[in-house]
């Protein structure tokens, strides 16, 4: 075998090894399905919304997560010229339409994790902002529950926030 033939044979073997490695690596990769992408989008939408600044300087109204705490624990508190709950609802509408390319119906559910907080009349305390009809519908997508923690007057408060979305028809 001449020197040129052995070089060509060695080159062919190296190319075959690289081709085999490429095929092996492509088999290991997992394609992102539409539902996985949607779940990832909704989780990131919820996290982004909670961290967004509202433009107000009042500590209870500064970020959207602060608004959620205010709307849950003190819904009558005034943020500018609106109460906490109304301002939270308006802010959610604005940010969902701003962050999403599609028109989405949404329901933000805020509750205490691990136990059920009850009002003086005995009803479970649960904050729902958005389209409450989504609870009963099929074809909706849930976010993973996001835990918000805040210390108010030396006490530790924890809320669980979940976002449910569905495309508008």
């Amino acid at each position: 075998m001449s020197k040129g033939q052995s070089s060509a044979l060695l080159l062919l073997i190296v190319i075959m090894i690289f081709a085999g490695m490429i095929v092996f690596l492509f088999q290991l990769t997992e394609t992102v399905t539409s539902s996985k992408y949607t779940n990832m989008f909704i989780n990131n939408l919820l996290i982004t919304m909670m961290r967004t600044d509202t433009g107000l300087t009042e500590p209870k109204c500064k970020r959207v997560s602060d608004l959620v705490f205010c709307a849950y624990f003190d819904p009558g508190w005034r943020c500018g010229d609106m109460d906490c709950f109304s301002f939270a609802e308006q802010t959610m509408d604005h940010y969902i339409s701003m962050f999403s390319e599609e028109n989405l119906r949404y329901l933000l559910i805020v509750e205490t994790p691990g136990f059920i907080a009850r009002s003086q009349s005995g009803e479970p305390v649960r904050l729902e902002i958005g389209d409450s009809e989504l609870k009963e519908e099929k074809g909706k997508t849930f976010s993973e529950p996001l835990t918000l923690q805040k210390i108010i007057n030396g006490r530790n408060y924890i809320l669980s926030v979940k976002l449910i979305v569905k495309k508008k028809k």
Side-chain angles (χ1 to χ4, degrees):
M1 194 176 337
S2 71
K3 187 175 179 181
Q5 288 177 334
S6 62
S7 295
L9 185 61
L10 182 62
L11 184 62
L12 183 65
I13 290 173
V14 169
I15 290 172
M16 288 176 59
I17 289 173
F18 277 118
M21 286 174 45
I22 289 171
V23 168
F24 176 73
L25 290 175
F26 274 127
Q27 288 176 348
L28 287 179
T29 62
E30 181 182 336
T31 58
V32 177
T33 61
S34 177
S35 64
K36 286 183 183 178
Y37 175 78
T38 304
N39 287 343
M40 185 174 59
F41 171 76
I42 292 169
N43 288 327
N44 286 334
L45 175 63
L46 178 60
I47 291 169
T48 302
M49 258 192 331
M50 291 297 124
R51 292 181 179 169
T52 303
D53 195 288
T54 62
L56 297 176
T57 56
E58 176 71 32
K60 286 187 176 185
C61 310
K62 187 170 174 109
R63 291 185 318 205
V64 175
S65 60
D66 297 330
L67 274 179
V68 168
F69 269 95
C70 182
Y72 190 85
F73 291 111
D74 195 3
W77 182 268
R78 304 297 287 177
C79 290
D81 58 346
M82 300 175 78
D83 62 87
C84 261
F85 182 81
S86 299
F87 189 58
E89 197 167 35
Q90 178 185 1
T91 305
M92 293 293 168
D93 282 338
H94 173 71
Y95 286 128
I96 290 227
S97 64
M98 185 172 81
F99 290 136
S100 64
E101 295 174 7
E102 305 151 357
N103 291 329
L104 296 175
R105 293 171 52 210
Y106 74 94
L107 176 62
L108 186 81
I109 299 174
V110 182
E111 51 196 1
T112 50
F115 70 94
I116 299 172
R118 298 198 179 272
S119 67
Q120 291 178 349
S121 63
E123 294 294 317
V125 176
R126 184 178 188 182
L127 178 67
E128 295 181 355
I129 299 174
D131 188 355
S132 60
E133 293 176 2
L134 280 178
K135 289 187 291 187
E136 314 303 326
E137 292 187 19
K138 295 181 181 179
K140 58 193 173 219
T141 307
F142 294 86
S143 71
E144 292 295 320
L146 177 66
T147 302
L148 300 177
Q149 182 175 3
K150 192 168 186 174
I151 297 174
I152 303 171
N153 297 329
R155 290 188 173 174
N156 190 22
Y157 293 95
I158 299 173
L159 292 178
S160 177
V161 181
K162 188 188 298 186
L163 182 64
I164 304 171
V165 298
K166 186 176 181 179
K167 289 181 184 178
K168 289 183 181 176
K169 294 180 182 180

